[in-house]
Amino acid sequence: MKYFIYFVIFVCLLVAQISLLAFFPGNTRPDILLLGIIVLGMREGGIPAMITACVVGFVKDTFTTSFLGASMLGLVIAAFMAGNYKHIQVKLGTQSKLVLFSIIILVYNFIYYFLFELKAGMNIFDLLLNSVFPAVFYTLLFAGIAHFLIPHGLLGTKR
Amino acid sequence: MPKEFKVVDIQFISITRREYFTFLICIVLSLSLIFLNDNPQINNLRAAVVDSWAHTLQIISKYRSMAEMRNELTRLRHRTSDLLLENSQLRKAALENHRLRTMLKFKEASPYSLVVATVIARDQDPAVRSVIVDVGEREGVQKGDAVILPMGIVGKILHTGESTSLVQLYTDYNFRVACKIQRSRVNGILQQQDSKTSIVTQVPKNADVRIGDLVVTSGYSYVFPAEIQAAKVVEIKTDSPSLFKKIVVEPFVDVTRIEDVFVIKRDSVATLPNKALN
């Protein structure tokens, strides 16, 4: 039942990411699929997150002009990193969780945009400044909003 | 160090082989896809996935279009109301411009000293018998001054204040003005018969008057100078037992719609030679 709910959530996230967020103004937009994968990894562990990352990454890639597999690779790595959170029994404060979230989002976006912009031949500085950092900021902002809107927070630990 | 960063207890649990294996498989799969991007079979697979989502995306796209259309409709409605308002203001400005140009031309061509006055209040009676204008003694307006428009007579000043004056309109029952038929020079008195009809009285039954003749001021009164047009003959009644005809006229000025008027300064009428007046 739990995994069925996750399935439904990811279908909704996919639809939202592909159809609705694609019409956001500007070049960068929040990656809500990435947020879903991170939350799944932190809550349920690496294996379900990585399998989900493979599937949703593939579907997402089919709708972009990037390499097929670019999102998939980034999401799998993000899922693996988030899955490790479960193996470290640490009492983390809000700021520490934010740092962890930021690192995973940064890694994913770097991989994704590196492969995405590979075709255009953009240099690394432009890549970070124009694509990676705005995307990280935007996604984190969206994560913050979602965290405050969801009753128990994104990770179900909000009191 | 802030409290949130304080690590209380760290206990590393080793990552299982299954997790490493899954990670490895997923990475290999992703990299394979990246390197096989140009493969026709991969492209077919890509097309199949897009097709499978097409129906869902179409529904969303339809709702999005409807939402956009609704927004566009709302925007257009606001725009329409703005444009209607703007159009109305432009029409008003155009009419005002036309009226003021006509008045300016009239003022320049007129031999009299004219004061432009704006109607600031009017009698609420539907027949409208008096109005208040925004000029008074300060502008040199005196009691008894004639009030006119380029089309014809309006009335006369009944009372003056420092900066306002009360105008008795020609529709007032007590208003009288000496007039004549312009074509035949027959004299008469223009007055109001009832709330709707103006008449010319004191015209003998044998006088030459025809329908359509112009009625102008005769200049015999001290109020109105001569030859200011007042009305047009629309009906001639000779069936009454009296010695005079009753001539129904249609004034040129509709007093219910006046906004700006001219007041003829009495001094300018008195100083003009008779030739100019007649």
Side-chain angles (χ1 to χ4, degrees), chain A residues 15 61 64 68 84 87 89, chain B residues 9 13 15 19 37 46 60:
Chain A
V15 170
D61 281 333
T64 64
L68 193 66
N84 279 317
H87 295 291
Q89 302 299 312
Chain B
D9 179 29
I13 298 170
I15 298 164
E19 279 177 308
N37 251 268
R46 197 173 197 165
I60 290 164

Side-chain angles (χ1 to χ4, degrees), chain B residues 65-82:
Chain B
S65 304
M66 280 171 70
E68 275 178 3
M69 279 168 68
R70 210 172 293 135
N71 287 341
E72 184 67 8
L73 187 68
T74 312
R75 199 185 64 78
L76 285 173
R77 276 186 184 150
H78 284 134
R79 183 83 184 123
T80 308
S81 65
D82 286 348

Side-chain angles (χ1 to χ4, degrees), chain B residues 173-184:
Chain B
Y173 291 125
N174 296 317
F175 184 88
R176 302 279 188 279
V177 60
C179 65
K180 62 172 72 170
I181 305 298
Q182 193 183 42
R183 182 182 56 81
S184 58

Side-chain angles (χ1 to χ4, degrees), chain B residues 45-177:
Chain B
L45 185 67
R46 197 173 197 165
V49 174
V50 173
D51 283 346
S52 67
W53 280 83
H55 188 65
T56 313
L57 294 177
Q58 271 175 357
I59 294 168
I60 290 164
S61 171
K62 197 174 154 187
Y63 277 105
R64 221 175 60 83
S65 304
M66 280 171 70
E68 275 178 3
M69 279 168 68
R70 210 172 293 135
N71 287 341
E72 184 67 8
L73 187 68
T74 312
R75 199 185 64 78
L76 285 173
R77 276 186 184 150
H78 284 134
R79 183 83 184 123
T80 308
S81 65
D82 286 348
L83 285 173
L84 282 172
L85 189 68
E86 192 181 329
N87 194 22
S88 160
Q89 284 169 343
L90 286 172
R91 269 176 203 273
K92 188 185 162 197
L95 287 169
E96 191 175 3
N97 188 24
H98 176 73
R99 196 180 73 244
L100 293 176
R101 271 176 190 276
T102 311
M103 288 180 76
L104 185 66
K105 209 180 282 178
F106 178 77
K107 191 180 178 187
E108 281 170 359
S110 174
Y112 313 113
S113 174
L114 302 175
V115 178
V116 180
T118 303
V119 175
I120 54 171
R122 59 180 72 225
D123 201 330
Q124 292 306 307
D125 191 303
V128 187
R129 285 150 197 171
S130 66
V131 292
I132 295 170
V133 291
D134 66 346
V135 291
E137 287 164 1
R138 200 169 50 199
E139 286 79 13
V141 174
Q142 296 173 40
K143 183 182 174 182
D145 282 356
V147 180
I148 61 164
L149 273 173
M151 299 86 79
I153 63 165
V154 174
K156 65 179 180 186
I157 300 289
L158 208 60
H159 299 292
T160 53
E162 179 64 23
S163 57
T164 56
S165 301
L166 179 71
V167 179
Q168 181 190 32
L169 300 171
Y170 70 78
T171 49
D172 190 278
Y173 291 125
N174 296 317
F175 184 88
R176 302 279 188 279
V177 60

Side-chain angles (χ1 to χ4, degrees), chain A residues 31-43 45-54 56 70-86 100-112 139, chain B residues 23 26-27 30:
Chain A
D31 197 327
I32 55 174
L33 280 174
L34 172 64
L35 290 179
I37 292 294
I38 295 171
V39 170
L40 183 68
M42 285 179 168
R43 282 183 159 197
I47 295 174
M50 282 186 280
I51 293 168
T52 312
C54 256
V56 296
S71 275
M72 197 172 161
L73 182 67
L75 285 176
V76 166
I77 292 169
F80 182 73
M81 288 172 76
N84 279 317
Y85 171 83
K86 236 191 163 240
L100 192 68
F101 250 84
S102 306
I103 291 168
I104 299 173
I105 293 168
L106 184 70
V107 169
Y108 164 79
N109 278 295
F110 183 76
I111 294 167
Y112 178 71
T139 309
Chain B
F23 179 61
C26 292
I27 292 291
S30 312

